[in-house]
Amino acid sequence: AIAAGMDDYITKPLKPRLLKEAIERWWPSESLAPSAFNTSSIPVGALRDDDGALDPNVRRSQSVLRVFLRHVPAQIDAIVEAVAAGDPEALRLAAHKLKGGCLSVGVPRMAALCAELEENPAQPAPLAEELVREFAKVQTRLAEAAERKTA
């Protein structure tokens, strides 16, 4: 990465201490909130029903959203197929992959559902069904946001 011109990098799996150190190298410490390094996942039950499908604090690039919306259906299909096949490893991998994309575009409910699916729940089918419904809601909210932006 450095030979290609990058200034720094960290490798997966991300470790909170290494991430914190990398961020501190590149941003002044006074700009960092202490909660930035909370590594706990967001349980679905902790999200109120009136919480939005979109995190209002996340800025979304239209090009990133296009990529996200193009790839998510196949990623959800992989989750649904893993649930149907009873394949916990495929479920874990597919849920982990989608969770990262959800976090990057600020869709917390979808990310929380993926986090639960990633942990091999006893009843994954209802969570997968909820993920499908939540993605439909996210698509609607993103379309509404795009309309407001152009109006």
Side-chain angles (χ1 to χ4, degrees):
I2 291 181
M6 301 211 32
D7 293 323
D8 201 352
Y9 68 94
I10 55 176
T11 61
K12 283 185 169 183
L14 294 179
K15 293 180 174 50
R17 180 184 57 77
L18 295 176
L19 178 59
K20 181 179 185 293
E21 289 170 1
I23 291 172
E24 287 174 343
R25 276 193 298 275
W26 298 101
W27 275 295
S29 61
E30 61 273 3
S31 70
L32 297 176
S35 63
F37 303 105
N38 180 352
T39 59
S40 62
S41 61
I42 305 166
V44 174
L47 296 169
R48 297 186 329 261
D49 287 339
D50 62 346
D51 282 349
L54 305 178
D55 181 343
N57 298 313
V58 174
R59 295 180 64 181
R60 295 171 185 86
S61 152
Q62 291 301 313
S63 58
V64 170
L65 284 176
R66 279 192 295 277
V67 170
F68 177 77
L69 293 170
R70 184 174 53 239
H71 291 282
V72 169
Q75 292 174 327
I76 290 176
D77 287 347
I79 289 171
V80 170
E81 289 169 10
V83 169
D87 186 340
E89 183 60 14
L91 175 58
R92 185 186 69 73
L93 291 171
H96 179 78
K97 182 176 181 179
L98 180 54
K99 180 180 72 175
C102 292
L103 290 170
S104 70
V105 298
V107 288
R109 287 178 181 255
M110 284 184 66
L113 287 162
C114 289
E116 285 197 39
L117 286 163
E118 185 178 8
E119 296 190 15
N120 194 22
Q123 298 289 324
L127 292 170
E129 292 166 8
E130 179 62 22
L131 182 62
V132 170
R133 288 190 296 273
E134 189 63 27
F135 179 57
K137 187 189 303 181
V138 163
Q139 288 176 300
T140 300
R141 298 296 183 274
L142 289 172
E144 290 168 351
E147 285 176 22
R148 281 193 303 275
K149 187 175 180 179
T150 60

